[in-house]
Amino acid sequence: SSTLPTHCHTASDAGPNPIPKPESILPMLSLLGRNLNELITNEFVHQLGPDFILNRNGGWENAILVPLLAIGLGLTLGRLREQHNWLITLWLVLLAVPGAVFFGFPAFRIVSPAFPAMDLLMAIALWGCYKVMAASLPRSWRPGLVTVLLGFLTVVTLFNTYIYFRELSTPDDRVHLREFTDLLAASVAPGRMVLLTGEPHIQEFIDSNQDNAEFAVRGAVGIGHERDVYRVVTYEELFGTLLTLRGQYSDLRVIAEGPKGSVGIKQQLILDALPRCFPGTAIDRLRYEVIYAIPSSALSDPQCTSAPDAAVSGARVQEADFPTGGHSGALIIS
């Protein structure tokens, strides 16, 4: 299948006929063995292919826990008559084996639902080993045995914590989205209008994440109040919207894509004109976004009185249209 990574294999590789023939049994067993080997390698050694959920090169589970997993699985299989052992075994087999082994897709996001069952097997192994050793050692040694057990758990916890904070990194697109939604949620407030600049024709980030923007705003001001505190406008509509809303709000802010974003030359020229049309505009450049805070004094007395014609090609801001001493003039994009 073209949707699977190149290292994955499916049962269809063994032949188009869904009913296996005797001569195809060995190839199918070889295929299943190969998929199982890939699953074990991904689980305890290193990932054979990238996964957008877990971007660590190492294995999914701590390899030092493999003996505990084997012991726990053995103890559970040896006592299948107990209902909870049946549940744990089915949990592990049904959630890990079909997708990874039968369908040849040993990805983290496919196998991860089986991890709690693996953790339970390890816990069963720890408890079983402790009971055996506690019964065979003198009573006076039990405090030392408990100390060793707690020390082992502490080492594993510290090791896994180190991996989590040092070997796992958040993808850039998620960092970008988090910054954008956090900035928007912190910017909206009653009596303040926040304008998001989005350009649908160039696949800009803000325009592509309008649903996330609405979710962040609703979390900040409540459902039903979004329209009062934020809007998404194109660059062509930005100045016209600002000049229209300046009589309704004393606090207007614009959030646009920063240097890392997909902002075109024409769009950037429009953004650069903001502090010249509204003197005193504070600009805060973050890692991905730029926020323009327009003061009330500039809103009441802007240095431009008409919206730019951003639909005209060329994108050249005429400096002469900004008067040096007066309070009127036209901002033209030509």
Side-chain angles (χ1 to χ4, degrees), residues 105-178:
F105 199 74
F108 178 83
R109 59 186 178 276
I110 300 299
V111 183
S112 59
F115 288 172
M118 297 174 62
D119 295 337
L120 286 173
L121 291 176
M122 296 172 192
I124 290 173
L126 271 177
W127 180 243
C129 291
Y130 171 78
K131 288 201 302 182
V132 169
M133 288 187 289
S136 59
L137 294 175
R139 181 178 293 272
S140 59
W141 287 33
R142 289 187 182 178
L145 183 60
V146 173
T147 302
V148 171
L149 177 61
L150 293 177
F152 173 76
L153 293 176
T154 301
V155 170
V156 171
T157 301
L158 292 175
F159 188 74
N160 289 344
T161 303
Y162 176 85
I163 291 175
Y164 182 82
F165 286 104
R166 294 300 184 92
E167 297 187 15
L168 295 178
S169 59
T170 305
D172 245 15
D173 58 337
R174 298 185 192 180
V175 177
H176 189 174
L177 180 60
R178 185 180 303 127

Side-chain angles (χ1 to χ4, degrees), residues 241-270:
T241 305
L242 285 172
L243 293 171
T244 300
L245 294 177
R246 69 188 184 93
Q248 305 173 31
Y249 296 88
S250 61
D251 191 353
L252 283 172
R253 299 191 181 185
V254 177
I255 296 179
E257 281 293 277
K260 288 191 174 184
S262 54
V263 179
I265 297 175
K266 188 172 185 176
Q267 289 76 23
Q268 188 58 55
L269 286 172
I270 293 175

Side-chain angles (χ1 to χ4, degrees), residues 11 14-29:
N17 193 342
I19 301 177
K21 297 179 180 180
E23 60 269 20
S24 66
I25 295 297
L26 288 179
M28 289 186 66
L29 290 177

